[in-house]
Amino acid sequence: MASRRIPLEDHVADATALLAGILGALPVPLGAAAVGRVAAQELRSPLDVPAADVSQMDGYAVRAADLPAVGEEVSLPLGAMIAAGDLPGELAPGTARAIMTGAPVPAGADLVVPVEESAGGRFVLGRSGGAAGADGGAGSVALTPLETEPGRFVRPRGSATRRGDTILRAGQVLTPGRIAHLAACGTREVEARTPPRALVLSTGSEVAPAGGDPGPGRTHDANGPGLAAALAEAGAEVVATAAVPDDPALLLERLHAELGRTDADLIVTSGGVSQGAREVVRMAAQHADVTLAFPTLALQPGGPQGIGTLLHEGRRVPWIALPGNPVSALLSCELILRPALGAPPRRRLRLPLRLEDPSRPEPSPAHLLQHRRARVLPSGQVRLVGGPGSHLVAALAAADALVAVPVGTDLLHDGELIETILLTEGS
């Protein structure tokens, strides 16, 4: 009897629970060392940014009530100049104070007239130590404002960030913009996820290392380098890669040797999990040190999977066993391991499908969640790349997206909206 197929999300939940114990966090100082790390905490701003009403322009802080109609000139006595970092005090009624960009607005002032709207259009020092327009007199300034509405060229307190606002969420990537925002809110360091140490093994007697002629009946190992790259992109540190033949004793011997050498937190293997007569991971699972289950997912590619642990020197090391075809292995890593490791989710859009031949719908197995390789076109449509075969690595290399064909769909039609996962972007 055929095994029951389980939904992808159920398997992701199982993998997430299995890997939860290896996902740690450490404080990282903001700056270059934080770029690209994944936040392990939510942070709220402890303060308003800006912390006071500040000037958006170089100009004069005034009261709207002291200004004439728009376009008319007024001469106002000058108080002391205010620069960024000064304590502004108050603005006396009927006066103006020169103010620089970013300087706090004095109490009583409710707008800033740009220096360009003063006589002469530039600052000069007055005898009072303030600044005046070039023709405004030693202790006064002549202004001809173009607008007189309160709030003009004043950045209100908290207009960038309010105290208590969420400024970082767990799972977000620390980008330069986020790092600058955190620093502006007074943050010095942030809890970031520590990369789990992953051991990657490709199984199969036919697997040969890259370089030269692999020999009759053999193939170059695409899974080792591909999975190592995918795991690194998902936030793991790959401490070793290796290939082993279809011998369960050799597989376990190599795993124990690499775990002893690297102290890895996670085992990721490819191959040996299907229904063949010589599936090396399934054979290794009969050993007392191994606890592995082999669910079949309602997924294409990537139906056969393995999940469990290997007992090594008293500790249970999580083991995720992926299928052996290269596209199956890489998409399984993308769809299962990436979320289980807490990597930021990919952006998903519903885009119109563009088929090569609009008159010929594309078939899909209705009982499976199928992921087809695709490219997003400049037109905003999405086009399939290559066929559904799990060996078509060139099509995966050419893709920048996945089209997720839901269970229950047997035909894809030109122009229909389809969920599209963008592989080239993160959250």
PDB file of all heavy atoms in Angstrom, residues 240-263:
ATOM      1  N   ALA A 240      31.982  21.128   6.982  1.00  0.00           N
ATOM      2  CA  ALA A 240      32.613  20.072   6.190  1.00  0.00           C
ATOM      3  C   ALA A 240      31.631  19.580   5.140  1.00  0.00           C
ATOM      4  O   ALA A 240      30.409  19.596   5.346  1.00  0.00           O
ATOM      5  CB  ALA A 240      33.058  18.904   7.067  1.00  0.00           C
ATOM      6  N   THR A 241      32.169  19.173   3.994  1.00  0.00           N
ATOM      7  CA  THR A 241      31.389  18.489   2.967  1.00  0.00           C
ATOM      8  C   THR A 241      32.146  17.230   2.574  1.00  0.00           C
ATOM      9  O   THR A 241      33.380  17.192   2.615  1.00  0.00           O
ATOM     10  CB  THR A 241      31.176  19.362   1.714  1.00  0.00           C
ATOM     11  OG1 THR A 241      32.450  19.716   1.166  1.00  0.00           O
ATOM     12  CG2 THR A 241      30.408  20.628   2.052  1.00  0.00           C
ATOM     13  N   ALA A 242      31.406  16.203   2.223  1.00  0.00           N
ATOM     14  CA  ALA A 242      32.037  14.943   1.842  1.00  0.00           C
ATOM     15  C   ALA A 242      31.064  14.136   0.997  1.00  0.00           C
ATOM     16  O   ALA A 242      29.863  14.436   0.950  1.00  0.00           O
ATOM     17  CB  ALA A 242      32.455  14.157   3.077  1.00  0.00           C
ATOM     18  N   ALA A 243      31.586  13.136   0.305  1.00  0.00           N
ATOM     19  CA  ALA A 243      30.771  12.186  -0.443  1.00  0.00           C
ATOM     20  C   ALA A 243      31.118  10.786   0.025  1.00  0.00           C
ATOM     21  O   ALA A 243      32.291  10.478   0.288  1.00  0.00           O
ATOM     22  CB  ALA A 243      31.028  12.322  -1.939  1.00  0.00           C
ATOM     23  N   VAL A 244      30.091   9.946   0.165  1.00  0.00           N
ATOM     24  CA  VAL A 244      30.305   8.587   0.640  1.00  0.00           C
ATOM     25  C   VAL A 244      29.559   7.616  -0.275  1.00  0.00           C
ATOM     26  O   VAL A 244      28.508   7.950  -0.827  1.00  0.00           O
ATOM     27  CB  VAL A 244      29.828   8.403   2.096  1.00  0.00           C
ATOM     28  CG1 VAL A 244      30.687   9.198   3.046  1.00  0.00           C
ATOM     29  CG2 VAL A 244      28.368   8.782   2.243  1.00  0.00           C
ATOM     30  N   PRO A 245      30.082   6.413  -0.449  1.00  0.00           N
ATOM     31  CA  PRO A 245      29.406   5.432  -1.299  1.00  0.00           C
ATOM     32  C   PRO A 245      28.195   4.820  -0.608  1.00  0.00           C
ATOM     33  O   PRO A 245      27.911   5.106   0.557  1.00  0.00           O
ATOM     34  CB  PRO A 245      30.494   4.383  -1.548  1.00  0.00           C
ATOM     35  CG  PRO A 245      31.387   4.481  -0.351  1.00  0.00           C
ATOM     36  CD  PRO A 245      31.379   5.924   0.040  1.00  0.00           C
ATOM     37  N   ASP A 246      27.494   3.974  -1.336  1.00  0.00           N
ATOM     38  CA  ASP A 246      26.275   3.342  -0.812  1.00  0.00           C
ATOM     39  C   ASP A 246      26.618   2.183   0.120  1.00  0.00           C
ATOM     40  O   ASP A 246      26.303   1.016  -0.145  1.00  0.00           O
ATOM     41  CB  ASP A 246      25.405   2.860  -1.972  1.00  0.00           C
ATOM     42  CG  ASP A 246      24.757   4.004  -2.706  1.00  0.00           C
ATOM     43  OD1 ASP A 246      24.388   5.000  -2.047  1.00  0.00           O
ATOM     44  OD2 ASP A 246      24.625   3.925  -3.938  1.00  0.00           O
ATOM     45  N   ASP A 247      27.274   2.494   1.217  1.00  0.00           N
ATOM     46  CA  ASP A 247      27.645   1.513   2.230  1.00  0.00           C
ATOM     47  C   ASP A 247      27.253   2.100   3.580  1.00  0.00           C
ATOM     48  O   ASP A 247      27.867   3.081   4.036  1.00  0.00           O
ATOM     49  CB  ASP A 247      29.148   1.240   2.172  1.00  0.00           C
ATOM     50  CG  ASP A 247      29.591   0.163   3.150  1.00  0.00           C
ATOM     51  OD1 ASP A 247      29.073   0.144   4.284  1.00  0.00           O
ATOM     52  OD2 ASP A 247      30.478  -0.634   2.787  1.00  0.00           O
ATOM     53  N   PRO A 248      26.228   1.559   4.259  1.00  0.00           N
ATOM     54  CA  PRO A 248      25.760   2.179   5.507  1.00  0.00           C
ATOM     55  C   PRO A 248      26.816   2.224   6.597  1.00  0.00           C
ATOM     56  O   PRO A 248      26.868   3.185   7.368  1.00  0.00           O
ATOM     57  CB  PRO A 248      24.574   1.308   5.904  1.00  0.00           C
ATOM     58  CG  PRO A 248      24.718   0.034   5.139  1.00  0.00           C
ATOM     59  CD  PRO A 248      25.419   0.391   3.875  1.00  0.00           C
ATOM     60  N   ALA A 249      27.682   1.217   6.661  1.00  0.00           N
ATOM     61  CA  ALA A 249      28.740   1.232   7.677  1.00  0.00           C
ATOM     62  C   ALA A 249      29.725   2.366   7.423  1.00  0.00           C
ATOM     63  O   ALA A 249      30.144   3.082   8.344  1.00  0.00           O
ATOM     64  CB  ALA A 249      29.466  -0.112   7.693  1.00  0.00           C
ATOM     65  N   LEU A 250      30.092   2.557   6.135  1.00  0.00           N
ATOM     66  CA  LEU A 250      31.001   3.649   5.798  1.00  0.00           C
ATOM     67  C   LEU A 250      30.342   5.009   6.035  1.00  0.00           C
ATOM     68  O   LEU A 250      30.994   5.962   6.471  1.00  0.00           O
ATOM     69  CB  LEU A 250      31.446   3.535   4.339  1.00  0.00           C
ATOM     70  CG  LEU A 250      32.445   2.420   4.019  1.00  0.00           C
ATOM     71  CD1 LEU A 250      32.744   2.407   2.522  1.00  0.00           C
ATOM     72  CD2 LEU A 250      33.732   2.627   4.808  1.00  0.00           C
ATOM     73  N   LEU A 251      29.050   5.095   5.749  1.00  0.00           N
ATOM     74  CA  LEU A 251      28.337   6.351   5.974  1.00  0.00           C
ATOM     75  C   LEU A 251      28.377   6.730   7.456  1.00  0.00           C
ATOM     76  O   LEU A 251      28.718   7.863   7.813  1.00  0.00           O
ATOM     77  CB  LEU A 251      26.889   6.224   5.495  1.00  0.00           C
ATOM     78  CG  LEU A 251      25.943   7.377   5.860  1.00  0.00           C
ATOM     79  CD1 LEU A 251      26.432   8.691   5.266  1.00  0.00           C
ATOM     80  CD2 LEU A 251      24.517   7.068   5.408  1.00  0.00           C
ATOM     81  N   LEU A 252      28.048   5.780   8.337  1.00  0.00           N
ATOM     82  CA  LEU A 252      28.038   6.081   9.758  1.00  0.00           C
ATOM     83  C   LEU A 252      29.452   6.342  10.286  1.00  0.00           C
ATOM     84  O   LEU A 252      29.657   7.230  11.126  1.00  0.00           O
ATOM     85  CB  LEU A 252      27.382   4.945  10.528  1.00  0.00           C
ATOM     86  CG  LEU A 252      25.884   4.761  10.268  1.00  0.00           C
ATOM     87  CD1 LEU A 252      25.364   3.514  10.978  1.00  0.00           C
ATOM     88  CD2 LEU A 252      25.104   5.992  10.731  1.00  0.00           C
ATOM     89  N   GLU A 253      30.408   5.593   9.771  1.00  0.00           N
ATOM     90  CA  GLU A 253      31.795   5.817  10.180  1.00  0.00           C
ATOM     91  C   GLU A 253      32.241   7.236   9.816  1.00  0.00           C
ATOM     92  O   GLU A 253      32.877   7.933  10.623  1.00  0.00           O
ATOM     93  CB  GLU A 253      32.700   4.778   9.503  1.00  0.00           C
ATOM     94  CG  GLU A 253      34.175   4.927   9.852  1.00  0.00           C
ATOM     95  CD  GLU A 253      35.041   3.925   9.091  1.00  0.00           C
ATOM     96  OE1 GLU A 253      34.531   2.850   8.719  1.00  0.00           O
ATOM     97  OE2 GLU A 253      36.220   4.238   8.867  1.00  0.00           O
ATOM     98  N   ARG A 254      31.897   7.668   8.606  1.00  0.00           N
ATOM     99  CA  ARG A 254      32.296   9.016   8.158  1.00  0.00           C
ATOM    100  C   ARG A 254      31.568  10.093   8.967  1.00  0.00           C
ATOM    101  O   ARG A 254      32.161  11.107   9.351  1.00  0.00           O
ATOM    102  CB  ARG A 254      32.001   9.169   6.665  1.00  0.00           C
ATOM    103  CG  ARG A 254      32.523  10.488   6.063  1.00  0.00           C
ATOM    104  CD  ARG A 254      34.040  10.572   6.194  1.00  0.00           C
ATOM    105  NE  ARG A 254      34.581  11.795   5.650  1.00  0.00           N
ATOM    106  CZ  ARG A 254      34.998  11.934   4.383  1.00  0.00           C
ATOM    107  NH1 ARG A 254      34.906  10.907   3.529  1.00  0.00           N
ATOM    108  NH2 ARG A 254      35.517  13.071   3.974  1.00  0.00           N
ATOM    109  N   LEU A 255      30.285   9.859   9.243  1.00  0.00           N
ATOM    110  CA  LEU A 255      29.530  10.837  10.032  1.00  0.00           C
ATOM    111  C   LEU A 255      30.141  11.004  11.421  1.00  0.00           C
ATOM    112  O   LEU A 255      30.356  12.131  11.889  1.00  0.00           O
ATOM    113  CB  LEU A 255      28.067  10.410  10.147  1.00  0.00           C
ATOM    114  CG  LEU A 255      27.190  10.635   8.923  1.00  0.00           C
ATOM    115  CD1 LEU A 255      25.823  10.006   9.125  1.00  0.00           C
ATOM    116  CD2 LEU A 255      27.046  12.131   8.634  1.00  0.00           C
ATOM    117  N   HIS A 256      30.435   9.889  12.101  1.00  0.00           N
ATOM    118  CA  HIS A 256      31.016   9.986  13.438  1.00  0.00           C
ATOM    119  C   HIS A 256      32.397  10.658  13.390  1.00  0.00           C
ATOM    120  O   HIS A 256      32.730  11.466  14.282  1.00  0.00           O
ATOM    121  CB  HIS A 256      31.126   8.596  14.071  1.00  0.00           C
ATOM    122  CG  HIS A 256      29.821   8.063  14.580  1.00  0.00           C
ATOM    123  ND1 HIS A 256      29.142   8.640  15.622  1.00  0.00           N
ATOM    124  CD2 HIS A 256      29.067   6.988  14.180  1.00  0.00           C
ATOM    125  CE1 HIS A 256      28.026   7.963  15.862  1.00  0.00           C
ATOM    126  NE2 HIS A 256      27.950   6.959  14.997  1.00  0.00           N
ATOM    127  N   ALA A 257      33.183  10.337  12.358  1.00  0.00           N
ATOM    128  CA  ALA A 257      34.512  10.941  12.245  1.00  0.00           C
ATOM    129  C   ALA A 257      34.410  12.448  12.048  1.00  0.00           C
ATOM    130  O   ALA A 257      35.140  13.232  12.680  1.00  0.00           O
ATOM    131  CB  ALA A 257      35.280  10.306  11.083  1.00  0.00           C
ATOM    132  N   GLU A 258      33.512  12.892  11.171  1.00  0.00           N
ATOM    133  CA  GLU A 258      33.364  14.326  10.904  1.00  0.00           C
ATOM    134  C   GLU A 258      32.766  15.052  12.107  1.00  0.00           C
ATOM    135  O   GLU A 258      33.149  16.188  12.418  1.00  0.00           O
ATOM    136  CB  GLU A 258      32.512  14.550   9.659  1.00  0.00           C
ATOM    137  CG  GLU A 258      33.145  14.071   8.364  1.00  0.00           C
ATOM    138  CD  GLU A 258      34.376  14.884   7.965  1.00  0.00           C
ATOM    139  OE1 GLU A 258      34.599  15.969   8.545  1.00  0.00           O
ATOM    140  OE2 GLU A 258      35.129  14.430   7.090  1.00  0.00           O
ATOM    141  N   LEU A 259      31.831  14.414  12.803  1.00  0.00           N
ATOM    142  CA  LEU A 259      31.261  15.041  13.989  1.00  0.00           C
ATOM    143  C   LEU A 259      32.323  15.197  15.078  1.00  0.00           C
ATOM    144  O   LEU A 259      32.370  16.213  15.778  1.00  0.00           O
ATOM    145  CB  LEU A 259      30.082  14.216  14.517  1.00  0.00           C
ATOM    146  CG  LEU A 259      28.809  14.254  13.683  1.00  0.00           C
ATOM    147  CD1 LEU A 259      27.800  13.238  14.201  1.00  0.00           C
ATOM    148  CD2 LEU A 259      28.193  15.657  13.683  1.00  0.00           C
ATOM    149  N   GLY A 260      33.181  14.193  15.227  1.00  0.00           N
ATOM    150  CA  GLY A 260      34.250  14.300  16.209  1.00  0.00           C
ATOM    151  C   GLY A 260      35.258  15.373  15.851  1.00  0.00           C
ATOM    152  O   GLY A 260      35.805  16.052  16.730  1.00  0.00           O
ATOM    153  N   ARG A 261      35.482  15.561  14.560  1.00  0.00           N
ATOM    154  CA  ARG A 261      36.472  16.544  14.108  1.00  0.00           C
ATOM    155  C   ARG A 261      35.935  17.972  14.141  1.00  0.00           C
ATOM    156  O   ARG A 261      36.662  18.914  14.456  1.00  0.00           O
ATOM    157  CB  ARG A 261      36.928  16.189  12.693  1.00  0.00           C
ATOM    158  CG  ARG A 261      38.045  17.057  12.135  1.00  0.00           C
ATOM    159  CD  ARG A 261      38.453  16.597  10.754  1.00  0.00           C
ATOM    160  NE  ARG A 261      37.398  16.818   9.778  1.00  0.00           N
ATOM    161  CZ  ARG A 261      37.180  17.976   9.144  1.00  0.00           C
ATOM    162  NH1 ARG A 261      37.959  19.019   9.409  1.00  0.00           N
ATOM    163  NH2 ARG A 261      36.218  18.084   8.260  1.00  0.00           N
ATOM    164  N   THR A 262      34.638  18.134  13.806  1.00  0.00           N
ATOM    165  CA  THR A 262      34.094  19.485  13.621  1.00  0.00           C
ATOM    166  C   THR A 262      33.151  19.927  14.723  1.00  0.00           C
ATOM    167  O   THR A 262      32.850  21.118  14.828  1.00  0.00           O
ATOM    168  CB  THR A 262      33.316  19.560  12.297  1.00  0.00           C
ATOM    169  OG1 THR A 262      32.175  18.676  12.359  1.00  0.00           O
ATOM    170  CG2 THR A 262      34.204  19.161  11.126  1.00  0.00           C
ATOM    171  N   ASP A 263      32.647  18.975  15.527  1.00  0.00           N
ATOM    172  CA  ASP A 263      31.634  19.283  16.537  1.00  0.00           C
ATOM    173  C   ASP A 263      30.420  19.953  15.900  1.00  0.00           C
ATOM    174  O   ASP A 263      29.858  20.918  16.435  1.00  0.00           O
ATOM    175  CB  ASP A 263      32.226  20.179  17.633  1.00  0.00           C
ATOM    176  CG  ASP A 263      31.408  20.128  18.920  1.00  0.00           C
ATOM    177  OD1 ASP A 263      30.796  19.083  19.190  1.00  0.00           O
ATOM    178  OD2 ASP A 263      31.366  21.145  19.639  1.00  0.00           O
TER     179      ASP A 263
END
